[in-house]
Amino acid sequence: MGEAQKFFQSCLIILASLCYSYLIPSKLPKGKIRLFSLLPIFSLFIILPLSLSRPIPITIISWFITWLATSKLLLFAFNLGPLSAQNSLINFILIAALPIKIKEKDPLHHTQHTRILPPDNWLRSFFFTLFVIIYDRTKSWVMFGFALFLFIDLCFALCAFIVGPLGLELEEPSDEPYASSSLQDFWGRRWNRMISDTLRHTVYKPVRSTFVDLVGLKWAQVMGTMATFFVSGLVHEVMIFNVTRVWPNWEVTCYFLLHGVCVVLEMAVKRELGWKLNLHWAVSGPLTVGFVLITGYWLFFPTLWRSHVDSESIEDIKVFAKNLKDIIVRSIN
């Protein structure tokens, strides 16, 4: 069976699993009973990427389903999160399966839906193609990082294209991370906001509320922050294992723990000294993104390079880009 067939089979399994999650557990009382009814789905979503063999399909299933869909269903078990407010099976499936935060369109600013992708996505597609071409020539890890960033953005654009006919619109996945004023601003408000929001509700808030009465708000926030970065590191280790099938050496977890410590130090400086350095984004942005990239070069990317995931991912991205081009051409016609 080819990779495309296996990916399509995985999508059918996901669809059936989410239909079950909407039709059966939703009728059960929230809490332990609903959680127990969802355990088979959690187990299935965890092992599902292992049925695939190419980096990009594995990453998509690991990211969209193993991480985000499982987190949303975990919140749903306690009648929390975006799925608990859905009365439509289609919306339930879309919100669970896609890395998106859907908001209803403002009727005052409603415009007729068009099947042509917005102009800014054409620009992203151009730079995405440019970075892939440059990476092919130079094998530069910086170009790979930029291509990966734009690939994530294009995935969200494709999700927006899918849900557009249903009268829904999506929040932007990232909010100009290059303009970050600090690491706290980068991770908490600007970079991959869907992941940040999910971790905030599934890790940070539960840990903080659990320990606030024991250690006080200040240390509860520290524990919540470190727990969030630790869990993020573990999930990234699982995703990378799914792609490489190599047992982790915990470099990626160390990368996220390092950033967790730095965010905690930032919080401490701002809180204890009442100090806030207001740098222009043209200064603070490159400093923040530079630190993210340099530490990534040290701790995050080597795991991928050793398994040649970067070059294999670029090949998969080329296939994705070709298919995206075909979709755009068909939408115009």
Side-chain angles (χ1 to χ4, degrees), residues 207-226:
V207 171
R208 186 188 63 181
S209 61
T210 298
F211 290 98
V212 66
D213 291 334
L214 297 175
V215 297
L217 179 60
K218 180 176 69 174
W219 288 107
Q221 289 175 334
V222 170
M223 296 175 72
T225 300
M226 291 305 302

Side-chain angles (χ1 to χ4, degrees), residues 296-317:
Y297 180 82
W298 172 33
L299 293 170
F300 189 93
F301 289 114
T303 301
L304 303 178
W305 294 330
R306 283 192 292 267
S307 300
H308 306 290
V309 171
D310 52 339
S311 56
E312 292 181 11
S313 297
I314 290 295
E315 293 302 317
D316 286 351
I317 287 174

Side-chain angles (χ1 to χ4, degrees), residues 163-284:
V163 303
L166 300 176
L168 301 169
E169 60 178 336
L170 313 183
E171 292 189 351
E172 288 292 325
S174 297
D175 181 19
E176 301 178 339
Y178 53 82
S180 300
S181 60
S182 65
L183 286 174
Q184 186 180 6
D185 186 38
F186 178 88
W187 291 113
R189 303 180 187 91
R190 294 186 178 273
W191 173 252
N192 211 338
R193 294 191 295 174
M194 186 70 243
I195 295 292
S196 299
D197 188 62
T198 299
L199 288 169
R200 186 177 297 111
H201 290 288
T202 57
V203 182
Y204 178 77
K205 287 184 176 179
V207 171
R208 186 188 63 181
S209 61
T210 298
F211 290 98
V212 66
D213 291 334
L214 297 175
V215 297
L217 179 60
K218 180 176 69 174
W219 288 107
Q221 289 175 334
V222 170
M223 296 175 72
T225 300
M226 291 305 302
T228 299
F229 277 93
F230 178 63
V231 170
S232 181
L234 291 181
V235 175
H236 278 84
E237 296 279 15
V238 171
M239 292 175 63
I240 292 174
F241 171 78
N242 289 338
V243 173
T244 64
R245 308 297 160 88
V246 175
W247 288 106
N249 57 12
W250 310 112
E251 286 178 337
V252 174
T253 300
C254 290
Y255 170 79
F256 283 98
L257 287 176
L258 172 63
H259 280 258
V261 170
C262 291
V263 168
V264 168
L265 291 176
E266 282 184 356
M267 293 165 54
V269 169
K270 293 176 183 178
R271 181 177 57 246
E272 300 298 334
L273 302 181
W275 171 81
K276 185 176 182 180
L277 183 60
N278 293 315
L279 295 176
H280 190 274
W281 69 266
V283 177
S284 62

Side-chain angles (χ1 to χ4, degrees), residues 6 32 43 63 98 130 161 183 208 244 310 312 320:
K6 290 189 288 186
K32 294 180 180 179
S43 303
W63 175 27
L98 300 178
L130 179 63
F161 184 75
L183 286 174
R208 186 188 63 181
T244 64
D310 52 339
E312 292 181 11
F320 171 84

Side-chain angles (χ1 to χ4, degrees), residues 115-182:
R115 291 185 61 81
I116 301 176
L117 294 177
D120 59 334
N121 288 318
W122 289 91
L123 186 61
R124 291 174 185 176
S125 300
F126 169 77
F127 280 109
F128 169 70
T129 304
L130 179 63
F131 290 142
V132 169
I133 292 173
I134 295 175
Y135 173 82
D136 265 348
R137 300 290 180 87
T138 65
K139 303 301 179 185
S140 166
W141 67 275
V142 176
M143 291 299 105
F144 174 71
F146 284 144
L148 191 61
F149 169 73
L150 288 176
F151 175 72
I152 292 173
D153 261 16
L154 288 173
C155 283
F156 276 84
L158 186 57
C159 291
F161 184 75
I162 292 171
V163 303
L166 300 176
L168 301 169
E169 60 178 336
L170 313 183
E171 292 189 351
E172 288 292 325
S174 297
D175 181 19
E176 301 178 339
Y178 53 82
S180 300
S181 60
S182 65

